[in-house]
Amino acid sequence: MKINFNVPPFTGKEFEYMRQAVDNEKICGDGPFTTQCSEWIEEQTGTSKCLLTTSCTHATELAALLADIKPGDEVIMPSYTFVSTANAFVLRGATAVFVDIRPDTMNMDEKKIEDAITARTKVIAPVHYAGVGCEMDTIMDIAGRHQLMVIEDAAQGIMASYKGKPLGTFGEYGCFSFHETKNFSMGEGGALLIRDEKDILRAEIFREKGTDRSQFFRGQVDKYRWQDFGSSYLPSDMNAAYLYAQLELAEEITKARIDRWEQYWELLTPLAQQGRIELPYIPKECVHNAHMFYIKTKDMEERSRLIAYLKEKEILSVFHYVPLHSAPAGKKYGRFHGEDVYTTKESERILRLPMFYRLTADETEYIADQVKAFYAAN
Ligand SMILES: *Cc1c(COP(=O)(O)O)cnc(C)c1O
């Protein structure tokens, strides 16, 4: 039994919808499927506006443009995240200020944020790791008291919520990813969620090469012109067609993932009870989306041996982020505020097991058995 770490989601309807996009003779951006995807996301999340983008990276760049990030500004974020969380702001000349994570959720430690705020701080950028929400009440309270914006990297967070409110809808802007490794995919793609209606027009202009073409297509202006700076952040309608097939089955896809997640949890609980591994923690405020199932080993050395052991059994498991503050660009464009108690240590212990829509119960059982066999022999 050979098991990949990830298999991109596919429901069966994708080709039909992509054919329809071609038949529509509308394969550029903002065609019918893009509209359907955006409306679906608006309805699911209750956000004012969703703009489909070419990636979550680009959605975050759009958010940085909308937040008017200028050289010298500071953005508070975890170091344990993907490079795009930092790049979007660094591209505008800002400094990434990293704070430590909580070891239980691997999310930015909300208690470390306030101390990192300076006169230059403009944005707090929480990352909802593994689709498990950050402590948003605390983060929104800090942002409110210090008049900071919140831009959520909710790349992994679609269909997940904190106290019943969808991730990506707390801050001024929220960013989803539809990369092939995410729960729903269009190959490469993403979405920007805009909380306040006043920001919609500017966002549309930045996304459409600095023009008011979106208004033109709605018949609101009689010609479109260059209005501001901007770039091209529109995905093709063919990609949106691929995505729409999955959004239609969002509940089913999420349920299948949750089933596998809970199966892993149950099968590996004995190892956790023996103190051999640690399992993920879901705060009671959070509903997650089974984006990821990870375990934590004793240390990096044990993790390397487990990865090799599983590979021998043809199971691909992977570790995750190398903390940004330890990377060359992180040293150049960022600084770590406070002490790195958990970021490095926990990132060296985390191991992600295969998790994807079409992972079967048998495969999950086989993987858990192999993890147990490794610990029985070690
Ligand atoms: C996947 C991911 C991104 C980047 O998403 P793209 O759509 O590939 O640009 C950013 N942040 C986090 C936390 C991610 O998991």
Side-chain angles (χ1 to χ4, degrees):
M1 202 183 295
K2 184 174 187 309
I3 307 172
N4 271 323
F5 171 68
N6 178 56
V7 176
F10 183 79
T11 66
K13 272 261 185 110
E14 284 84 349
F15 289 141
E16 187 188 322
Y17 287 172
M18 289 172 83
R19 170 174 282 279
Q20 274 181 36
V22 174
D23 288 344
N24 286 341
E25 298 182 348
K26 181 82 184 155
I27 59 171
C28 71
D30 279 338
F33 283 103
T34 305
T35 305
Q36 288 189 85
C37 288
S38 309
E39 287 177 357
W40 188 94
I41 293 168
E42 283 160 13
E43 186 148 325
Q44 205 277 329
T45 62
T47 191
S48 301
K49 185 75 185 171
C50 164
L51 295 178
L52 223 55
T53 59
T54 28
S55 62
C56 178
T57 301
H58 277 165
T60 317
E61 285 181 32
L62 268 174
L65 286 174
L66 287 161
D68 251 327
I69 297 297
K70 297 265 177 347
D73 289 347
E74 293 179 356
V75 178
I76 298 174
M77 64 183 74
S79 169
Y80 185 70
T81 182
F82 190 56
V83 294
S84 298
T85 321
N87 265 329
F89 302 102
V90 164
L91 270 171
R92 319 255 22 108
T95 298
V97 176
F98 304 115
V99 295
D100 209 8
I101 52 169
R102 294 164 45 149
D104 57 355
T105 57
M106 303 297 279
N107 281 335
M108 177 158 69
D109 187 342
E110 65 280 359
K111 295 192 193 73
K112 305 282 171 66
I113 295 172
E114 203 146 14
D115 196 50
I117 295 173
T118 71
R120 293 172 171 261
T121 307
K122 197 143 182 192
V123 170
I124 303 173
V127 180
H128 305 294
Y129 188 68
V132 179
C134 294
E135 190 12 63
M136 289 315 292
D137 273 357
T138 308
I139 292 173
M140 294 311 293
D141 174 61
I142 295 169
R145 281 190 285 108
H146 294 270
Q147 294 180 323
L148 303 175
M149 287 192 192
V150 172
I151 297 178
E152 297 172 71
D153 182 337
Q156 306 170 10
I158 195 163
M159 302 292 279
S161 59
Y162 167 91
K163 293 192 177 173
K165 189 170 159 63
L167 303 185
T169 64
F170 289 84
E172 274 79 357
Y173 313 109
C175 308
F176 283 162
S177 174
F178 301 118
H179 185 260
E180 71 163 28
T181 51
K182 301 305 199 282
N183 289 23
F184 313 136
S185 181
M186 52 199 279
E188 300 276 356
L192 176 70
L193 306 191
I194 300 169
R195 190 187 65 190
D196 304 324
E197 276 178 20
K198 65 171 176 40
D199 293 332
I200 297 173
L201 197 56
R202 267 179 92 220
E204 285 180 338
I205 288 171
F206 288 148
R207 175 172 169 268
E208 259 287 17
K209 301 103 180 161
T211 73
D212 51 358
R213 196 169 174 185
S214 300
Q215 277 186 293
F216 173 69
F217 280 137
R218 286 194 296 265
Q220 293 166 338
V221 291
D222 59 0
K223 54 182 176 293
Y224 71 86
R225 294 180 304 171
W226 188 22
Q227 298 288 349
D228 204 337
F229 51 76
S231 190
S232 182
Y233 296 117
L234 286 78
S236 157
D237 214 47
M238 283 202 292
N239 296 54
Y242 190 99
L243 177 65
Y244 191 64
Q246 290 162 39
L247 296 183
E248 279 190 325
L249 292 181
E251 297 287 346
E252 184 181 320
I253 292 173
T254 306
K255 176 162 189 321
R257 297 182 74 111
I258 294 277
D259 286 349
R260 298 288 75 74
W261 196 99
E262 288 179 349
Q263 189 186 355
Y264 270 132
W265 175 277
E266 220 160 275
L267 294 171
L268 294 173
T269 288
L271 276 184
Q273 282 166 345
Q274 293 157 26
R276 305 300 305 270
I277 61 170
E278 280 172 41
L279 296 178
Y281 166 72
I282 313 292
K284 63 177 188 323
E285 294 82 9
C286 298
V287 172
H288 73 111
N289 58 6
H291 174 61
M292 192 188 297
F293 191 90
Y294 64 77
I295 62 172
K296 285 186 189 165
T297 59
K298 183 165 83 264
D299 53 25
M300 197 191 235
E301 188 273 333
E302 185 181 274
R303 182 178 71 179
S304 303
R305 281 190 292 118
L306 178 53
I307 291 174
Y309 181 89
L310 293 174
K311 195 164 177 215
E312 244 172 59
K313 311 289 176 190
E314 298 199 294
I315 298 166
L316 293 183
S317 62
V318 296
F319 51 86
H320 214 181
Y321 310 128
V322 174
L324 296 184
H325 74 284
S326 68
K331 289 181 182 150
K332 198 165 163 189
Y333 300 119
R335 66 160 191 274
F336 199 97
H337 182 87
E339 199 189 335
D340 169 12
V341 181
Y342 295 112
T343 299
T344 300
K345 190 171 125 215
E346 300 302 302
S347 71
E348 290 179 346
R349 301 168 59 214
I350 202 164
L351 180 67
R352 297 183 293 156
L353 298 177
M355 172 54 82
F356 48 88
Y357 173 43
R358 286 175 293 167
L359 184 70
T360 66
D362 285 349
E363 288 170 330
T364 309
E365 189 175 341
Y366 173 72
I367 296 162
D369 282 346
Q370 298 313 315
V371 172
K372 286 194 257 185
F374 171 83
Y375 281 101
N378 278 275

